[in-house]
């Protein structure tokens, strides 16, 4: 049977002598594994289709649950992401998060479209704020949304330091916070709100770094993964 699908390459690992094993993220079929044969040879036509970030229409042969790439038509290779080390790690974080959050064999439309859109924007715009926005959305889609509408106990807007509970994913004002919440700076909370489109304003570099640190910690507690690309990106900031 042949399958035609739009897919984003999340991972590509060497397989046998000349092949690559791809983790493809598709809109309709979620995540699936496919072999791309002969692509380690210099002259291979499908070389482009066996690299992370490749967004293409793939034609796959399916036999006994195994997929082989027959052909691919490139939509976007997001090449600027490979030419700038910060963009590269931010974009790799997007792929990493998709790979960790998207279960195998489940439809992943919203996350898929958001990932493709984010990679496209990262080619043109500053990548840090886009990564914060992507992580917030990806976590919400996975069932781990952060509550950014003020103090979760008294309901007041938060204008100064606050505290975040990794258990409830809520922020609390100074008066309402309890001991087991992590302190959060004003700029971190504001950055998260701006990225979530809950507030208008300009993002600051320091706020982006702090927001990413908080999201990485939250993410690793929920998913039990360190997020290596995300850690590397934060280190580079
Ligand atoms: Zn409060």
């Amino acid at each position: 049977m042949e399958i035609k699908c739009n897919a984003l390459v999340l991972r590509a690992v060497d397989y046998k002598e000349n092949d690559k094993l791809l983790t493809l993220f598709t809109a309709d079929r979620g995540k699936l594994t496919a072999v791309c044969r002969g692509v380690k040879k210099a002259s291979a036509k499908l070389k482009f289709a066996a690299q992370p970030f490749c967004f293409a229409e793939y034609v796959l042969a399916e036999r006994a649950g195994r997929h082989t790439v027959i052909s691919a038509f490139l939509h976007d290779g997001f090449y600027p992401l490979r030419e700038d080390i910060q963009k590269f790690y931010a974009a790799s974080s997007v792929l990493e998060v998709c790979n960790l959050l998207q279960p195998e064999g489940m439809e992943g439309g919203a996350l898929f479209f958001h990932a493709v859109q984010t990679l496209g924007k990262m080619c043109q715009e500053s990548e840090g704020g886009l990564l914060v926005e992507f992580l917030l959305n990806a976590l919400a889609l996975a069932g781990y949304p952060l509550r950014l509408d003020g103090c979760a106990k008294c309901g007041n807007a938060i204008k100064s330091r606050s505290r975040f509970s990794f258990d409830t994913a809520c922020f609390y004002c100074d008066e309402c916070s309890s001991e087991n919440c992590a302190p959060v700076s004003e700029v971190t909370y504001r950055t998260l709100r701006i990225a979530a489109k809950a507030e208008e304003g300009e993002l600051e570099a320091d706020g982006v770094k702090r927001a990413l640190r908080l999201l990485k910690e939250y993410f690793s507690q929920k998913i039990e993964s360190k997020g290596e690309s995300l850690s590397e990106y934060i280190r580079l900031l």
Side-chain angles (χ1 to χ4, degrees), residues 151-156 158 171-177:
C151 173
K153 201 166 179 187
C154 70
N156 290 338
I158 297 171
F171 292 84
Y172 300 91
C173 71
D174 242 1
E175 288 81 60
C176 298
S177 68

Side-chain angles (χ1 to χ4, degrees), residues 198-232:
E199 178 175 328
E200 284 191 12
E202 290 282 316
L203 292 175
E204 294 167 43
D206 178 51
V208 168
K209 186 168 185 170
R210 287 166 179 266
L212 286 172
R213 277 208 201 110
L214 181 93
L215 288 171
K216 183 177 89 93
E217 179 62 28
Y218 178 61
F219 186 85
S220 63
Q221 288 200 14
K222 296 297 161 196
I223 314 297
E224 288 173 20
S225 163
K226 280 185 201 142
E228 286 170 24
S229 295
L230 184 55
S231 303
E232 187 58 23

Side-chain angles (χ1 to χ4, degrees), residues 161-181:
R161 283 178 69 85
S162 60
R163 284 182 177 264
F164 179 68
S165 160
F166 287 95
D167 294 329
T168 62
C170 291
F171 292 84
Y172 300 91
C173 71
D174 242 1
E175 288 81 60
C176 298
S177 68
S178 62
E179 282 301 306
N180 51 8
C181 293

Side-chain angles (χ1 to χ4, degrees), residues 119-140:
L119 295 179
K121 282 189 189 166
M122 279 181 173
C123 292
Q124 315 283 340
E125 299 166 31
S126 174
E127 74 288 341
L130 291 167
L131 183 57
V132 175
E133 185 187 339
F134 175 78
L135 287 168
L136 285 171
N137 281 318
L139 283 162

